[in-house]
């Protein structure tokens, strides 16, 4: 209340001013809490969408082309046009070759059975003159038929020879007898021959059939085999193939470039009421050491890659392409005893921007478009190498230096301009802000690929190799033990390397299991999948 008394009026005005300031502070605090709650809701919605997409959505990262058209102007401003070589812009679109439609020619190596369809005898005479008609041609068409797999019994008969002269002459020491040697077997005194063992391993570790389904399949053929028996067979075969597996490990460690990734697997533990989580790691050697090796560890600790890569790169600088898992930091720092350069994965960085497309479609589209430009350079290098017959690594390095390096600089400038602390519109805790921060934190490692044409732009090779584990665990659900994990790692390695070199895994395993027991350790190199050549054992099968 304002009165004529100046002191009273001033005090009242001062009280109103303080109340106004207090109310303003409370309002600002409430607005800040509201903004914080909105950010939390946005973050939780983003996590929920990511989980729903992981379990129920498609894995491919595709955007609606119509959505991109909404932001064409923004993209053009964010990405300056690169000058074309010799002043001429290449308008040739990048297209993937399409597979032809229609029926394909059947393989010539398949067994063929001819079925001749003749006219009935009463239709062979000519209806005009009554004389027999003769064959003037034929019409042929082919069909594919399936003959169910058959199981046979191999009866090994070892002949024994004796000397009748010695038997009749009692003055001699006794009959001189000799029996033919028994051939080496993968499992001594085992029921399964190499073919059946190979079938079991390929069915589980290549075709992802759990053993209880395989038990039912063999049961339909009248072969009662328990899944526990087949599990023991796989473990014994893995033990027999372990020296070959170790040879593959040494080959990978001789590489200058290794791709690696990991994936979880449930492991049964008799000491617990529920399963625990183990880990499969994959290591891909370079083109000169093209083996794919899996390693099982009971956990995701840094000891797994640290032990596998110990002393790798001691004599020369090498490259490790992986995700941003902190367990690799010690390897890059030299704790494993090597000079290892980190190569980050652009597919991982791109995925972060893709996941932010619902919360910030404009910025996400701009970021994805700039990543797309980097991949366009890779496609152009591959196309140029195939067209001119040049070395792919040389073409990659040349085009990356000419086109990718400037685009990387533009992309980083754009990322930094979007951050709120630099005056940009994107808050750090938002999905887009986290994607930008991830890319900037990994920036040096993301740019390493441009310095060497042998390096890939992403780590998709190792992710594709791990796909067999992801598909398999949906069927067999868990590993029975840590020993089962080590068995799976050995057999996954052999089958994955076979598929990497387009080698038929059943024929390969049957031949190796037949011969490896009689092969010296020094000659195991010929059984590596990239060097293996079929022998008479395969042809006889």
């Amino acid at each position: 209340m304002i009165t004529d008394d100046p002191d009273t009026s001033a005090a009242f005005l001062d009280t109103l001013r303080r109340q106004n300031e207090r109310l303003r502070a409370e309002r600002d605090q409430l607005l800040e809490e509201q903004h914080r709650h909105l950010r939390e809701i946005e973050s939780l919605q983003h996590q929920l969408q990511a989980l729903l997409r992981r379990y129920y959505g498609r894995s491919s990262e595709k955007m609606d082309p119509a959505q991109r058209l909404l932001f064409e102007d923004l993209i053009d401003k964010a990405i300056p046009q690169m000058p074309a070589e010799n002043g001429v812009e290449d308008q040739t679109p990048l297209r993937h070759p399409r597979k032809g439609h229609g029926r394909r020619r059947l393989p010539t190596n398949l067994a063929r059975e001819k079925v001749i369809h003749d006219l009935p005898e009463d239709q062979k005479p000519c209806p005009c003159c009554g004389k027999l008609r003769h064959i003037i041609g034929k019409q042929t068409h082919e069909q594919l038929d399936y003959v169910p797999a058959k199981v046979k019994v191999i009866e090994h008969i070892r002949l024994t020879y004796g000397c009748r002269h010695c038997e009749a002459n009692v003055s001699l020491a006794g009959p001189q007898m000799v029996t033919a040697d028994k051939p080496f077997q993968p499992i001594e005194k085992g029921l399964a021959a190499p073919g059946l063992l190979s079938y079991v391993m390929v069915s589980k570790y290549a075709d992802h059939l759990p053993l209880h389904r395989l038990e039912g399949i063999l049961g339909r053929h009248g072969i009662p085999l328990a899944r526990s028996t087949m599990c023991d067979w796989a473990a014994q075969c893995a033990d027999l193939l372990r020296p070959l597996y170790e040879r593959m490990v040494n080959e990978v460690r001789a590489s200058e470039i290794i791709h690696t990734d990991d994936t979880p697997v449930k492991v049964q533990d008799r000491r617990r009421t529920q399963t625990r989580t183990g880990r499969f790691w994959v290591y891909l050697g370079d083109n000169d050491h093209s083996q794919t090796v899996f390693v099982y560890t009971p956990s995701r600790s840094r000891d797994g890659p640290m032990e596998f890569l110990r002393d790798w790169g001691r004599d020369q600088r090498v490259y490790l392409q992986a995700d941003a898992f902190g367990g690799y930091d010690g390897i890059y720092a030299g704790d494993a005893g090597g000079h290892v350069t980190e190569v980050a994965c652009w597919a991982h960085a791109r995925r972060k921007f893709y996941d932010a497309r619902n919360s910030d479609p404009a910025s996400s589209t701009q970021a994805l478009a700039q990543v797309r430009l980097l991949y366009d350079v890779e496609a152009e290098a591959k196309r140029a190498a195939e067209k001119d017959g040049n070395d792919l690594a040389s073409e990659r390095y040349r085009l990356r230096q000419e086109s990718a390096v400037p685009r990387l600089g533009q992309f980083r400038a754009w990322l930094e301009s979007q951050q709120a602390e630099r005056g940009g519109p994107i808050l750090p805790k938002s999905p887009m802000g986290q994607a930008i921060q991830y890319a900037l934190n990994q920036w040096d490692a993301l740019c390493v690929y441009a310095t060497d044409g042998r390096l890939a732009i992403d780590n998709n090779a190792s992710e594709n190799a791990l796909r067999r584990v992801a598909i398999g665990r949906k069927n067999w659900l868990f590993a029975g033990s840590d020993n089962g994990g080590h068995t799976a790692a050995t057999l996954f390695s052999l089958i994955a390397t076979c598929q990497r070199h387009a080698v038929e895994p059943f024929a390969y395993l049957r031949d190796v299991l037949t011969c490896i027991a009689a092969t010296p350790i020094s000659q195991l190199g010929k059984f590596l999948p990239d060097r293996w050549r079929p022998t008479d054992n395969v042809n006889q099968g």
Side-chain angles (χ1 to χ4, degrees):
M1 180 176 182
I2 301 177
T3 65
D4 294 336
D5 187 357
D7 294 336
T8 304
S9 298
F12 182 70
L13 290 174
D14 186 59
T15 300
L16 291 177
R17 191 180 298 109
R18 287 197 302 270
Q19 290 178 349
N20 186 39
E21 292 176 352
R22 178 174 58 79
L23 291 174
R24 285 178 180 271
E26 291 178 355
R27 183 200 64 179
D28 293 341
Q29 183 179 0
L30 290 173
L31 288 174
E32 177 61 28
E33 289 182 0
Q34 181 185 26
H35 292 158
R36 180 171 59 82
H37 291 319
L38 289 175
R39 289 194 297 269
E40 290 178 355
I41 292 172
E42 181 183 1
S43 177
L44 291 173
Q45 288 177 339
H46 173 69
Q47 295 177 31
L48 176 61
Q49 291 169 359
L51 287 172
L52 290 175
R53 185 173 62 255
R54 176 180 177 183
Y55 285 100
Y56 304 110
R58 63 187 182 187
S59 59
S60 59
E61 299 171 8
K62 296 181 180 179
M63 295 191 68
D64 185 355
Q67 186 181 23
R68 188 181 188 277
L69 294 176
L70 297 174
F71 309 104
E72 287 288 355
D73 294 338
L74 294 174
I75 295 173
D76 292 338
K77 293 178 182 179
I79 310 171
Q81 295 295 322
M82 298 299 297
E85 294 184 9
N86 301 326
V88 179
E89 185 177 357
D90 185 8
Q91 297 293 338
T92 305
L94 294 174
R95 294 182 179 177
H96 298 288
R98 294 184 177 180
K99 297 181 179 179
H101 295 282
R103 182 176 297 179
R104 299 184 183 181
R105 190 182 300 273
L106 298 178
T108 58
N109 62 331
L110 294 179
R112 276 171 164 73
E113 177 183 345
K114 292 184 178 181
V115 179
I116 299 176
H117 303 278
D118 200 357
L119 287 173
E121 292 297 327
D122 59 348
Q123 295 183 18
K124 290 182 179 180
C126 177
C128 296
C129 64
K131 294 183 179 181
L132 289 177
R133 289 181 280 198
H134 63 278
I135 298 174
I136 61 173
K138 60 181 179 181
Q139 298 180 13
T140 304
H141 80 278
E142 294 180 331
Q143 281 184 317
L144 273 177
D145 197 8
Y146 174 75
V147 179
K150 59 182 180 180
V151 181
K152 64 181 180 181
V153 176
I154 300 177
E155 188 174 351
H156 295 276
I157 302 174
R158 300 164 59 201
L159 299 179
T160 300
Y161 287 82
C163 179
R164 292 180 179 176
H165 174 71
C166 295
E167 291 176 358
N169 193 341
V170 296
S171 62
L172 299 178
Q176 301 296 315
M177 295 182 298
V178 61
T179 302
D181 292 334
K182 184 179 181 180
F184 289 105
Q185 297 295 325
I187 300 177
E188 188 66 23
K189 298 181 180 179
L191 175 66
L196 180 56
L197 295 172
S198 301
Y199 173 70
V200 170
M201 289 186 291
V202 170
S203 296
K204 180 172 182 180
Y205 298 103
D207 300 332
H208 319 297
L209 280 176
L211 293 181
H212 76 273
R213 292 186 199 166
L214 195 56
E215 182 180 17
I217 292 172
L218 292 173
R220 291 199 298 268
H221 294 282
I223 310 298
L225 284 176
R227 67 193 75 172
S228 58
T229 300
M230 291 184 281
C231 184
D232 292 340
W233 287 351
Q236 290 173 291
C237 288
D239 290 339
L240 179 64
L241 297 168
R242 191 80 61 188
L244 184 58
Y245 169 80
E246 295 296 338
R247 186 73 173 260
M248 296 171 65
V249 169
N250 293 334
E251 284 278 318
V252 171
R253 286 174 175 159
S255 303
E256 294 184 32
I257 302 168
I258 291 180
H259 288 251
T260 184
D261 203 353
D262 66 284
T263 191
V265 61
K266 293 181 180 179
V267 184
Q268 207 171 29
D269 193 333
R270 305 298 181 186
R271 299 168 297 179
R272 302 186 179 189
T273 58
Q274 58 185 6
T275 59
R276 55 181 171 81
T277 301
R279 217 79 186 178
F280 279 112
W281 307 77
V282 67
Y283 300 90
L284 278 72
D286 56 26
N287 291 335
D288 295 330
H289 310 86
S290 52
Q291 313 296 322
T292 300
V293 169
F294 286 80
V295 175
Y296 169 80
T297 59
S299 67
R300 202 197 183 196
S301 70
R302 64 195 297 268
D303 296 339
M306 185 73 69
E307 183 61 30
F308 186 89
L309 299 174
R310 186 164 302 283
D311 293 331
W312 178 58
R314 178 179 292 276
D315 301 324
Q316 60 181 344
R317 180 161 291 279
V318 293
Y319 298 92
L320 180 65
Q321 189 144 23
D323 58 22
F325 172 49
Y328 299 119
D329 293 343
I331 296 173
Y332 303 136
D335 295 346
H339 307 283
V340 182
T341 299
E342 178 182 5
V343 186
C345 173
W346 269 105
H348 278 79
R350 182 190 186 279
R351 198 168 299 143
K352 301 288 185 181
F353 295 115
Y354 180 80
D355 291 341
R357 70 194 183 282
N358 292 327
S359 61
D360 193 344
S363 299
S364 174
T365 301
Q366 293 181 63
L368 291 173
Q370 298 192 62
V371 176
R372 178 71 264 173
L373 290 177
L374 299 178
Y375 275 87
D376 286 345
V377 175
E378 303 302 300
E380 177 61 26
K382 183 177 180 180
R383 186 171 60 181
E386 293 176 349
K387 179 181 178 181
D388 302 331
N390 297 334
D391 179 56
L392 178 59
S394 301
E395 286 293 336
R396 275 178 172 175
Y397 178 76
R398 180 180 67 81
L399 286 175
R400 285 170 179 175
Q401 292 296 310
E402 291 178 2
S403 301
V405 170
R407 291 174 182 177
L408 286 167
Q410 296 166 7
F411 192 14
R412 177 165 188 172
W414 180 83
L415 291 173
E416 292 177 341
S417 70
Q418 300 302 303
Q419 291 184 304
E421 59 266 22
R422 295 176 179 267
I426 299 176
L427 297 175
K429 296 299 184 180
S430 66
M432 190 63 194
Q434 294 178 15
I436 291 175
Q437 193 60 51
Y438 175 88
L440 291 176
N441 289 343
Q442 296 289 310
W443 191 258
D444 291 341
L446 284 170
C447 294
V448 169
Y449 85 98
T451 65
D452 194 322
R454 298 173 301 166
L455 299 173
I457 190 173
D458 53 41
N459 197 32
N460 285 349
S462 61
E463 290 192 0
N464 290 337
L466 281 175
R467 189 171 298 171
R468 72 191 70 251
V469 179
I471 296 175
R473 69 185 173 213
K474 291 181 179 179
N475 292 276
W476 36 259
L477 301 179
F478 54 82
S481 64
D482 288 335
N483 289 334
H486 295 303
T487 294
T490 300
L491 300 178
F492 272 139
S493 301
L494 291 164
I495 291 175
T497 306
C498 281
Q499 294 173 341
R500 181 174 179 177
H501 295 282
V503 173
E504 205 285 299
F506 173 78
Y508 168 79
L509 287 172
R510 182 178 59 182
D511 187 45
V512 172
L513 289 174
T514 301
C515 303
I516 193 171
T519 303
I521 295 293
S522 60
Q523 298 180 20
L524 285 181
K526 66 181 181 181
F527 289 137
L528 292 174
D530 58 324
R531 304 175 195 173
W532 173 77
R533 294 295 177 269
T535 64
D536 292 338
N537 297 311
V538 175
N539 299 328
Q540 292 172 3

